[in-house]
């Protein structure tokens, strides 16, 4: 039973292009299914979080991460009486706009696109689901509902206005062009917070990557269980496992400890959300949007403990010497491919040539090149770099 402040599927604000309702699925379930069947979603299989795609079969990819985020989002949404289908759709779509090579590739594209309107992976995800997917007879993109588009755009908070994060969205900074293009066609109310379901997808992202980065870092040998026993949350989790299961083999011990961390995070979010919802007493989904802060969040003490874990991961994993070496290597690839395609757009695949021919300015060309490069998988980007630069 959905709560009154949940997103009600029959009250959706609709789609850019009108469609008849599905017989068996709600509008948000249809969104979820279209995302799963999209080309961009399949490509996430070979896009990575931290480790480059070829480094090992056990490390998370953008695809497995998105599935884990969706699972967490469904659990939290269900516990809070929110719309699970919408939360799941936003969770599955939240990383569609990411470039190859994780945040390293994104950082490189941000710099390369600075003269041409910038690069933002959430805005790029909107561009994918409203333009770049070309499978349907009556429209480009996936023709998602307003609520799903809003969630993709704003799951991390407002983009403009007094409640926008000034670090992410400075007051004098323009709205990313890919987001502005969609917003001009379908007003996403960029000054408000997103629905509770979108906020759930955002915090499910935090839960998933905090959990699996610890797991992947252990597997990669970047730190040990003894290191984690010195940290808040992880230390008590290991102590509980050791008390219940003495002499457990290391792999099972790590799994048991980290699954407890997973549970701690989800339980904290649900408890705080229930308290905040009871206090705020929202009556509609729009009431959630118009609040002055997020309704879905960690408790302050828990968030401080997570900051300690994130700081540890930053120093021991994201900036580990082996990862830094790989970051430099793949940055060189992106910094090579983008200017090459700008200089020689005839190197782009044949299906991209028609758009290239229509480009009247360097900015228009750069945005086409960005769409192509950002859509690459790790594997394909490496292959293209080796093919094009070994041939020079």
């Amino acid at each position: 039973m959905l709560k009154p402040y949940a997103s009600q599927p029959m009250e959706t604000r609709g789609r850019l292009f009108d469609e008849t309702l599905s017989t068996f699925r709600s509008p948000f379930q249809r969104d979820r299914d279209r995302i799963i069947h999209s080309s961009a979603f399949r490509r996430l299989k070979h896009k990575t979080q931290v480790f480059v795609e070829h480094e090992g079969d056990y490390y998370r990819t953008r695809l497995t991460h998105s599935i884990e985020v969706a699972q967490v989002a469904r659990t939290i949404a269900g516990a809070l009486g929110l719309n699970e289908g919408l939360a799941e759709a936003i969770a599955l779509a939240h990383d569609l706009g990411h470039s190859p090579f994780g945040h390293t590739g994104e950082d490189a594209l941000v710099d390369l696109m600075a003269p041409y309107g910038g690069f933002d992976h959430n805005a790029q995800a909107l561009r994918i689901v409203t333009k770049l997917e070309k499978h349907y007879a009556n429209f480009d993109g996936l023709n998602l509902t307003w609520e799903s588009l809003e969630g993709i755009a704003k799951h991390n908070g407002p983009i403009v206005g007094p409640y926008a994060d000034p670090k992410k969205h400075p007051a004098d900074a323009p709205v990313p062009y890919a987001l502005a293009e969609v917003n001009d066609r379908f007003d996403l109310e960029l000054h408000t917070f997103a629905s509770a379901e979108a906020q759930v997808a955002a915090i499910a992202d935090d839960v998933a990557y905090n959990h699996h980065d610890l797991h992947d870092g252990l597997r990669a040998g970047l730190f040990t269980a003894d290191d984690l026993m010195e940290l808040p949350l992880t230390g008590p989790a290991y102590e509980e496992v050791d008390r219940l299961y003495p002499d457990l083999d290391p792999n099972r011990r790590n799994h048991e400890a980290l699954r407890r961390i997973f549970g701690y995070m989800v339980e904290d979010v649900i408890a705080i959300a229930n308290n905040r919802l009871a206090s705020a007493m929202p009556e509609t989904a729009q009431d959630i949007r118009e609040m002055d802060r997020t309704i879905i969040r960690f408790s302050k003490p828990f968030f401080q403990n997570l900051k300690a874990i994130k700081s540890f991961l930053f120093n021991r994993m994201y900036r580990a010497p082996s990862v830094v070496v790989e970051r430099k290597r793949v940055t060189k690839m992106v910094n090579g491919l983008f200017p090459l395609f700008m200089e020689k757009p005839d190197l782009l695949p044949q299906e991209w040539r028609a758009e290239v021919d229509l480009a009247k300015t360097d900015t228009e060309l750069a945005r086409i090149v960005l769409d192509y490069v950002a859509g690459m998988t790790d594997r394909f980007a490496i292959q293209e770099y080796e093919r094009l630069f070994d041939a020079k």
Side-chain angles (χ1 to χ4, degrees), residues 246-304:
D247 302 320
L248 197 62
D249 76 72
N251 285 337
R252 293 176 189 267
R253 179 173 180 254
N254 288 336
H255 179 80
E256 286 291 337
L258 294 184
R259 68 188 284 262
R260 282 165 171 75
I261 301 301
F262 200 104
Y264 298 161
M265 289 188 281
V266 171
E267 289 165 7
D268 183 81
V269 169
I270 292 171
I272 293 302
N274 274 323
N275 289 340
R276 289 178 62 79
L277 288 163
S279 175
M281 294 188 294
E283 296 181 359
T284 67
Q286 193 63 22
D287 288 344
I288 299 282
R289 294 186 176 94
E290 294 177 357
M291 289 181 177
D292 61 359
R293 68 194 67 186
T294 54
I295 198 83
I296 311 296
R297 56 172 58 192
F298 293 110
S299 65
K300 289 182 179 179
F302 199 93
F303 183 70
Q304 291 303 313

Side-chain angles (χ1 to χ4, degrees), residues 26-285:
S26 77
F28 305 143
Q29 290 171 330
R30 177 183 257 182
D31 285 356
R32 174 203 60 202
D33 295 348
R34 286 183 175 178
I35 291 161
I36 289 172
H37 289 281
S38 68
S39 298
F41 188 74
R42 288 195 298 275
R43 285 198 300 273
L44 295 180
K45 176 183 178 183
H46 295 298
K47 292 190 178 189
T48 43
Q49 297 287 109
V50 177
F51 301 99
V52 174
E53 186 267 335
H54 67 272
E55 290 185 323
D57 290 337
Y58 289 98
Y59 301 125
R60 265 65 172 196
T61 66
R62 290 281 173 196
L63 180 62
T64 58
H65 168 69
S66 296
I67 293 170
E68 291 176 15
V69 174
Q71 178 266 311
V72 177
R74 284 197 309 272
T75 297
I76 296 174
L80 297 176
L82 300 174
N83 193 296
E84 293 182 43
L86 178 58
E88 184 178 17
I90 297 167
L92 290 170
H94 85 282
D95 268 357
L96 290 181
H98 267 293
S99 60
F101 311 129
H103 289 288
T104 302
E106 180 175 9
D107 292 344
L109 286 177
V110 166
D111 292 339
L112 289 163
M113 283 295 295
Y116 310 113
F119 174 69
D120 175 90
H121 73 264
N122 288 328
Q124 189 67 17
L126 280 175
R127 190 167 169 86
I128 287 168
V129 300
T130 59
K131 180 179 180 180
L132 298 182
E133 289 283 326
K134 299 181 185 294
H135 303 297
Y136 296 89
N138 294 324
F139 48 79
D140 288 339
L142 305 180
N143 199 32
L144 303 181
T145 61
W146 183 92
E147 289 78 8
S148 288
L149 295 178
E150 180 219 25
I152 295 170
K154 302 189 314 191
H155 60 274
N156 289 325
I159 309 299
V160 299
Y163 304 127
D165 184 341
K167 294 180 180 178
K168 296 177 182 177
H169 307 290
D172 58 347
V175 173
Y177 73 89
L179 173 54
E181 288 176 353
V182 176
N183 196 60
D184 287 344
R185 300 167 64 196
F186 213 7
D187 183 5
L188 299 177
E189 300 178 357
L190 300 181
H191 63 288
T192 68
F193 286 92
S195 65
E197 287 84 1
Q199 294 180 36
V200 164
I203 209 157
D205 186 26
D206 287 349
V207 170
Y209 76 68
N210 280 322
H211 171 260
H212 64 53
D213 282 0
L214 290 169
H215 191 274
D216 284 351
L218 282 170
R219 178 175 285 276
L222 298 178
F223 45 81
T224 66
D226 288 343
D227 294 322
L228 297 185
M229 290 191 72
E230 301 299 319
L231 295 174
L233 300 180
T234 51
Y238 273 99
E239 290 172 3
E240 180 181 336
V241 172
D242 290 343
R243 185 175 66 254
L244 294 173
Y245 307 104
D247 302 320
L248 197 62
D249 76 72
N251 285 337
R252 293 176 189 267
R253 179 173 180 254
N254 288 336
H255 179 80
E256 286 291 337
L258 294 184
R259 68 188 284 262
R260 282 165 171 75
I261 301 301
F262 200 104
Y264 298 161
M265 289 188 281
V266 171
E267 289 165 7
D268 183 81
V269 169
I270 292 171
I272 293 302
N274 274 323
N275 289 340
R276 289 178 62 79
L277 288 163
S279 175
M281 294 188 294
E283 296 181 359
T284 67

